[in-house]
Amino acid sequence: MSDGIFIGAAGGQPQALNLRRANRHGLIAGATGTGKTVTLQGIAESFSRLGVPVFMADVKGDLAGIAMPGSPTFKNADKLEARAKEIGMADYAYADNPVIFWDLYGQQGHPIRTTVSEMGPLLLARLMDLNETQEGVLNIAFRYADEEGLLLLDLGDLQAMLAYCAENADMLSAKYGNVTKASVGTIQRQLLSLDSQGGAAFFGEPALDIHDFLHVDDKGRGFINVLAADRLMQSPKLYSTFLLWLLSELFQVLPEVGDPEKPKLVFFFDEAHLLFDDAPKALTDKIEQVVRLIRSKGVGVYFVTQNPIDIPEEVAGQLGNRVQHALRAFTPRDQKAIKAAAETFRINPDLDVETAITELKVGEALVSLLQEDGSPSIVQRTLIAPPRSRLGPLDAKERAIIRSVSPVDGKYDMAVDRESAEEILAARGRAAAAAAEAEKAQAEADKQAAAQAKIDARQREAELKAQARADAAAAREAAKPSNFDRAVQSATRSVGSSLGRQVANEIGKAVLGGSSRKSSGGGLIGGLVRGVLGGLFK
């Protein structure tokens, strides 16, 4: 149909998705093996033919066949052709579609990367299953990095930032709130776990430019962006967080357009229940907000899941276009899902919806789509239109050829590692270590200089004492008479002694009246005089 997406026919009446209402989101649900993937593939290629780019996750690896035309030799080709004829697809013919292959791990398509900063602490906390306290510490790390101009690009940057927070916990706690090394350690262990699952490949540069999902080819067909998710599904937290990040990026980047004539982009999220499994209330609210508001950006979101009750009511209420394949009532939960699904459709008085859900054949579905006035159509039991492209995977050679002619070939394939928090903090650490080493060396030099100064002072003191002793000895030596002086003194004493004795004798003689007088008194006086005079002349 030229005025919308042909979904199928109900009793000969075409069921079409109105392009002007395609951005009001939708749901494709049904048990395993009931035809959900075929329905998704047919709708996606119809959007592409009408110039609307598409994004979808290839969980099982079989959606990659949308890049190649179907073939009459396909084992179920006769059934598809018969169904096309039955529902009046007179123009049914096999055809290929323009496709860009993506892969978070860069193996089956162009790498998809984002930076840690763009992911943000809320989604990272969910990805690492952090509690409220640990999430608070992660917020502090982001806040400090932002204020200091430290780019958080990859997991290495975040690890370096967390290590810095642990080393400076007291300083950060005083400014931002409690930061404990235990909480930081838990986050670091979760990052290591994420790294071991290959999550590190998702963080880095060049980061994805959302506008690369909006390419059209030279025929005006929208490119179908196929994400290889078979390996990614082994890490369901990473898968769901990636999808939510993608929605958030679209919401932030794309401008408001209201209700365009056709969507700017349509998303199909397979295994949608993974978005909501064990998700905290804050995250569910975030998903609801994005789904509700992204409509005005011209983006349609279609959740693909086995059970409609996997989608929270707040989100399910935003899904106006519904395709419900068969459900099986094997358990009480299944019965509840059947009842819930039946009650969400606009009533058809000619159809027992609850019973029909369990009776639908492969390729059949209950369909209710938004009409021109925005109201849902009456639910109809519909035979779904078959896709025109291949049902099944591509081989490695086909995938490589398609990848080589991609409009983004070479743009994302080589990772870039520019200076960011890890390098800056490492440089700061080296500078601090060098400064500490220099300070230590200076302190050691100062210590050695002080010790040498003490030694020099003691040596100088000893030298001064020795000099003083030498000076004293020299003075004493200088004070002593020389040999000549001693000889003169000796001679003088000898002469004086002799002269004294002579004078004394003469005086004695004079006093006593000559030597002829012989008396005891005279002899005593004479000896005394001689002694006195002799002492004077010494």
Side-chain angles (χ1 to χ4, degrees):
M1 298 179 64
S2 60
D3 58 345
I5 303 293
F6 180 58
I7 302 296
Q13 295 298 315
Q15 301 293 307
L17 175 61
N18 190 303
L19 271 182
R20 296 186 67 249
R21 296 289 178 258
N23 64 331
R24 301 301 179 92
H25 314 316
L27 174 69
I28 301 173
T32 300
T34 58
K36 296 191 306 298
T37 300
V38 174
T39 299
L40 185 162
Q41 186 166 329
I43 295 175
E45 64 183 25
S46 295
F47 273 119
S48 175
R49 282 196 303 273
L50 294 170
V52 179
V54 173
F55 174 92
M56 58 185 184
D58 187 6
V59 173
K60 299 185 288 294
D62 52 358
L63 279 174
I66 201 170
M68 302 296 290
S71 170
T73 61
F74 179 66
K75 64 179 180 179
N76 290 322
D78 54 343
K79 294 181 180 179
L80 296 177
E81 291 171 2
R83 189 195 303 177
K85 184 176 181 180
E86 182 180 351
I87 61 178
M89 294 180 67
D91 62 344
Y92 183 74
Y94 297 114
D96 63 358
N97 299 281
V99 170
I100 302 175
F101 289 117
W102 301 91
D103 183 0
L104 260 66
Y105 304 104
Q107 298 174 351
Q108 301 182 68
H110 304 292
I112 292 182
R113 302 184 189 90
T114 187
T115 65
V116 169
S117 293
E118 288 176 341
M119 175 67 77
L122 175 63
L123 293 183
L124 275 174
R126 196 256 177 160
L127 183 58
M128 294 185 288
D129 200 23
L130 303 182
N131 61 31
E132 186 176 348
T133 300
Q134 294 154 0
E135 183 180 346
V137 172
L138 188 62
N139 272 292
I140 290 173
F142 270 76
R143 176 72 176 275
Y144 183 78
D146 183 58
E147 291 180 354
E148 292 294 311
L150 300 172
L151 295 177
L152 299 179
L153 302 180
D154 53 29
L155 293 188
D157 292 326
L158 186 54
Q159 283 282 22
M161 191 70 246
L162 290 168
Y164 179 87
C165 289
E167 294 169 1
N168 298 274
D170 293 341
M171 180 269 290
L172 293 174
S173 295
K175 184 175 182 180
Y176 301 102
N178 194 29
V179 175
T180 65
K181 293 185 177 181
S183 294
V184 172
T186 299
I187 300 172
Q188 289 177 316
R189 288 191 296 273
Q190 291 298 325
L191 283 177
L192 290 175
S193 176
L194 178 61
D195 191 6
S196 67
Q197 296 174 27
F202 178 47
F203 296 99
E205 291 186 315
L208 175 70
D209 180 355
I210 289 295
H211 294 93
D212 283 332
F213 282 169
L214 306 179
H215 287 290
V216 295
D217 70 358
D218 53 3
K219 297 180 181 178
R221 299 179 299 175
F223 270 88
I224 300 175
N225 299 275
V226 178
L227 174 70
D230 47 349
R231 178 185 171 190
L232 185 58
M233 287 299 297
Q234 299 173 22
S235 304
K237 287 269 187 177
L238 179 59
Y239 173 69
S240 60
T241 305
F242 162 72
L243 295 182
L244 183 53
W245 164 79
L246 211 49
L247 277 178
S248 300
E249 280 295 292
L250 283 167
F251 177 70
Q252 293 176 11
V253 171
L254 296 182
E256 293 279 344
V257 294
D259 288 319
E261 291 300 315
K262 61 183 180 182
K264 296 181 65 173
L265 179 67
V266 172
F267 266 71
F268 291 93
F269 287 167
D270 204 359
E271 301 295 338
H273 65 278
L274 295 175
L275 278 173
F276 308 102
D277 285 351
D278 303 320
K281 182 68 165 55
L283 196 61
T284 303
D285 291 344
K286 175 73 172 176
I287 299 172
E288 179 194 356
Q289 179 191 40
V290 172
V291 170
R292 185 175 67 252
L293 298 178
I294 204 171
R295 173 195 62 78
S296 63
K297 308 279 188 173
V299 177
V301 179
Y302 289 74
F303 295 97
V304 184
T305 188
Q306 293 186 18
N307 202 320
I309 64 174
D310 292 334
I311 310 297
E313 291 183 1
E314 297 83 358
V315 177
Q318 307 294 324
L319 311 180
N321 300 293
R322 295 174 179 252
V323 179
Q324 176 66 62
H325 286 273
L327 292 175
R328 310 305 180 199
F330 296 134
T331 67
R333 186 174 186 273
D334 293 337
Q335 294 172 353
K336 179 182 178 182
I338 291 170
K339 183 176 178 62
E343 291 176 347
T344 58
F345 288 111
R346 181 178 174 183
I347 297 173
N348 183 344
D350 298 325
L351 181 64
D352 183 348
V353 175
E354 193 168 336
T355 301
I357 289 177
T358 62
E359 297 176 346
L360 294 169
K361 298 180 294 184
V362 174
E364 272 193 315
L366 296 175
V367 176
S368 176
L369 307 168
L370 294 179
Q371 302 177 97
E372 183 65 31
D373 62 1
S375 64
S377 64
I378 294 173
V379 61
Q380 299 286 354
R381 184 167 180 168
T382 303
L383 193 59
I384 301 299
R388 301 168 188 263
S389 53
R390 180 191 297 180
L391 292 176
L394 299 182
D395 60 36
K397 184 177 180 180
E398 291 172 325
R399 188 183 287 270
I401 292 172
I402 293 171
R403 181 175 176 178
S404 68
V405 297
S406 160
V408 296
D409 182 47
K411 182 174 181 179
Y412 298 103
D413 299 315
M414 186 67 67
V416 176
D417 186 15
R418 62 185 172 120
E419 186 180 64
S420 50
E422 184 176 17
E423 291 78 15
I424 293 173
L425 290 175
R428 288 184 183 179
R430 290 192 297 269
E437 188 64 28
E439 185 177 350
K440 180 180 178 181
Q442 184 62 47
E444 183 65 25
D446 292 344
K447 181 179 178 182
Q448 292 178 359
Q452 186 63 45
K454 289 182 179 179
I455 293 173
D456 292 345
R458 287 195 294 269
Q459 184 175 353
R460 179 63 179 163
E461 182 181 0
E463 291 174 352
L464 291 174
K465 289 182 177 179
Q467 184 65 42
R469 288 194 295 270
D471 291 345
R476 287 194 299 273
E477 188 65 26
K480 292 180 180 179
S482 65
N483 292 334
F484 175 78
D485 291 338
R486 284 194 294 272
V488 171
Q489 290 175 357
S490 177
T492 301
R493 283 195 296 272
S494 298
V495 171
S497 176
S498 175
L499 179 60
R501 284 194 298 272
Q502 183 178 354
V503 171
N505 287 330
E506 290 300 324
I507 292 174
K509 289 179 180 180
V511 173
L512 298 178
S515 56
S516 59
R517 293 182 180 176
K518 305 291 183 181
S519 64
S520 58
L524 175 62
I525 294 170
L528 177 60
V529 171
R530 285 192 299 271
V532 172
L533 292 175
L536 292 175
F537 284 97
K538 286 183 179 181

